[in-house]
Structures are given as C-alpha cells and as structure tokens.
Amino acid sequence: MKCLGIETSCDETSIAIIEGQTLLHEALHTQIPVHAVFGGVVPEIASREHLRLLDALAQDIDAELLQSIDLIAVTRGPGLLGALLIGIAYAKALALALEIPVIGVHHLHAHLLACELNGQLIDYPAIGLLVSGGHTHLYLMRSAVDFTVLGKTLDDAAGEAFDKIAKLLNLPYPGGKYIDLLAAQGTAMKNILPKPYIHNDNCDFSFSGLKTAAAQFIRTHAIEALPYDTFDPAVVPDSIKDLCATLNMTIAETLCIKTDRAIHAHPEVRSLCVAGGVAANAHVRARCAQLANERGLKFFVPSQSYCGDNGAMVAYAGTQVARHGYISPLDFEAIPRGRHVPADYIVNHFFKE
Ligand code: KG4
Ligand code: ZN
C-alpha cells in the first residue's frame, strides 16, 4: 500500500510517500525562520505559509508515482486550527481527484509510530513517551492502533520548558536544540534545579515551575543573557553552558522517573518508545536508552531527523491505521489543540484519552 502523508499541524509543511517502511518521496519545508522573528509560531502566518507551500511541494512529486498512490493520510490534530485545515482541505481534494480514500491521523500517534521509520518493528506492548513542543504524554501502546494515555502534562510540555528557558537566555528560536548543543560543552550541576512534580504516585508531568526555577537561578547568579540575534556558541560563557547541561539532565531525569513509574505499573511491556521533537535531545535519548536497558526492555526512538514534525510519520501512521480497517469519512473535521474530541474521531478508538 502506497500512502501519501501530509503534515501541516504547526510550523513544518511536509509531504511524503511511504510504501510499507520504505520512503519513496519526501519534501519538508520548515517555517522556523519566518516565525523566529516573533519568538514563537504566529498561527495566521503558519496557515498562509502552508497554503503557499503545500501545492508547490506536491507539484514536485513524480506524476507516475502520484497516480500510483493508494491512500492519503493527513494530520487531523492536535495542532493549530488554520494550519490543520490547509492540510486537510488539500488532502481531501487530492483524494477526490485520485479517487482514493483519505484518513485523518492523530499527530501524537504518528510521532510514536515514527519509531518504525528506520525499518525496525516495535515489540508490543510498549510504554510510549511522547515529548514535543506542545505535549508530554505517557502511553501504554498495546498495538499500533491501541494506545491508552497513562499520564500527560498538566501545564507546559517538556519542549515548551526548553524553549521558554532558552528565551530567557536569548538563544535562537526554538531553543531546545540550542540548549542541547550548549549542554554538550557544559557540566551539569547537581541539585540546582528541582525535578518538577515527582513527589506523587502518578505519571503526569508539570514543567511550568522549572521555568520559574531557572529564571530565579539566572537572576541570583547574575547570568547575563546572550546578545540578541548574534548566536555564536564559541563565545557563550561556561555559566550558560553549565546551566544548559543542568537543564538537559533535569528534564531527562524527570521524564525517566515518570516513565519508570509507567513501566513498573505495566510489567507486561516489552519495549520503551520515545518520540517527538524533544526525543532529538542527546541526553533524553541516552537516559531513556539506559532506562530501557536497566529494565530489560527493547528501546525504540526515531532517527533525529524524524523526531520533529514530518510527512513520513503521517504517511506511516496512515498505513498502520488503514491496515486495521479504518478510513475517515470525507467530511471529517480538524481537531485543534484543546478541543474536546468527538465520539466519531477515528483515533479516539486508539487514544482513550
Ligand atoms: O514534535 P515537534 O517538532 O513539534 C510539536 O509537535 O510540538 O517538537 C518541537 C519541540 C520544540 O519545543 C523544540 O525546541 C524541541 O522539540 N526540540 C528539542 C530538540 N530539538 C527539538 N528539545 C530539546 N533538545 C533538542 N535537541
Ligand atoms: Zn509534533
């Protein structure tokens, strides 16, 4: 089955074609430079950029390959409403023109299934840790289409914590990857930042206090933010590099404490899967791999280039969902972030939130 996937939920415009686990075509355009000047994603600009770019990316697909597609998959949510609508409208029109089915894919589902894009197959049941800019979720993954939420963030996501603290230091947007880069040159300081919301017995997260703690540390230690708009790792002081290393360690440890709790609650699991933008983080990858090893679990994580948003993961998730017999009706709606999930939301069958 050849599936064309479209991703437009936030600030990446991407189309990919997958057959099984083989990538046949891929195009990805990041809007980060457009939003960076505002220090965050501007939803209206994101929608207009998707509108401008999506058809241009689709035009590059080989005509014969396009005609051979069996299925269209598109991110249905969660995401920015206007941005989702551009992708969904395009996907529906293409499905109509090619006379093939269309399927609305859950963005977080797609992130986790991206663990298989490198050719491996997840050994189910698994614990899934989804860490992105907008979400931090722990799932029990019984199969490719049966996920149950075990915990989620009550406020900021892990990626949001990285990005907000990076902003305090005037690192470029989005800051997670720059913190990671500087952390590699710094030394983590123990007991400087609190591991937030661990003194309980649940699998939920709360990262908003970490930003406050980091801001306090920056103030009390008189750490000066970098000059605006001139990022050069060579001239970043050690105090900032050490803070970045500490932040990497604190977030990775916190994620692992809750993930370990989920593993203990489900002794039947065979694997640990970690995905989403923050799964690109070197320390998060290493600590989660170590945790899996200590617990005798197989470890799955997408290659770094498939941790962020991309069309390949959407195409792959669409293939998996369709294989299990699900197809969306042509009038399916977008499910923006924060909206109540209606009963007909196909992925609701899999994500019992
Ligand atoms: O999954 P994603 O591309 O978009 C959402 O669905 O949110 O995740 C984006 C997030 C951003 O917060 C970004 O700063 C973070 O992933 N991120 C990282 C790294 N690379 C991207 N955070 C920490 N370390 C990284 N290397
Ligand atoms: Zn994402």
Side-chain angles (χ1 to χ4, degrees), residues 107 111 132-134 159-160 162-163 174 176-177 180 276-278 280-281 307-309:
H107 184 74
H111 266 305
S132 71
E160 221 168 336
F162 271 117
D163 296 346
K177 107 171 167 194
D180 196 16
V278 178
N281 183 279
C307 287
D309 295 345

Side-chain angles (χ1 to χ4, degrees), residues 170-172 178-179 181-182 226-236:
N170 270 350
L171 294 175
Y178 297 93
I179 289 191
L181 188 119
L182 295 174
L226 299 171
Y228 192 63
D229 243 9
T230 54
F231 180 69
D232 177 2
V235 298
V236 174

Side-chain angles (χ1 to χ4, degrees), residues 129 131 162 180 188 190 195 198 245-261 263-264 272-274 278-301 304:
L129 171 65
V131 269
F162 271 117
D180 196 16
K190 284 220 155 95
K195 294 183 198 85
I198 56 168
T246 308
L247 197 64
N248 250 9
M249 180 190 74
T250 307
I251 291 182
E253 293 297 330
T254 306
L255 293 170
C256 282
I257 287 169
K258 295 286 176 141
T259 304
D260 200 23
R261 210 169 274 176
I263 293 169
H264 275 292
L272 171 62
C273 301
V274 182
V278 178
N281 183 279
H283 204 70
V284 170
R285 292 171 87 85
R287 272 296 287 120
C288 290
Q290 187 190 348
L291 174 64
N293 188 35
E294 284 166 7
R295 298 290 171 253
L297 302 177
K298 291 185 186 164
F299 182 61
F300 297 91
V301 66
Q304 278 182 316

Side-chain angles (χ1 to χ4, degrees), residues 199-222:
H199 300 295
N200 49 53
D201 58 2
N202 62 48
C203 290
D204 291 326
F205 301 92
S206 165
F207 285 105
S208 67
L210 191 58
K211 184 192 64 186
T212 314
Q216 233 159 17
F217 183 83
I218 290 167
R219 215 174 20 251
T220 52
H221 290 75

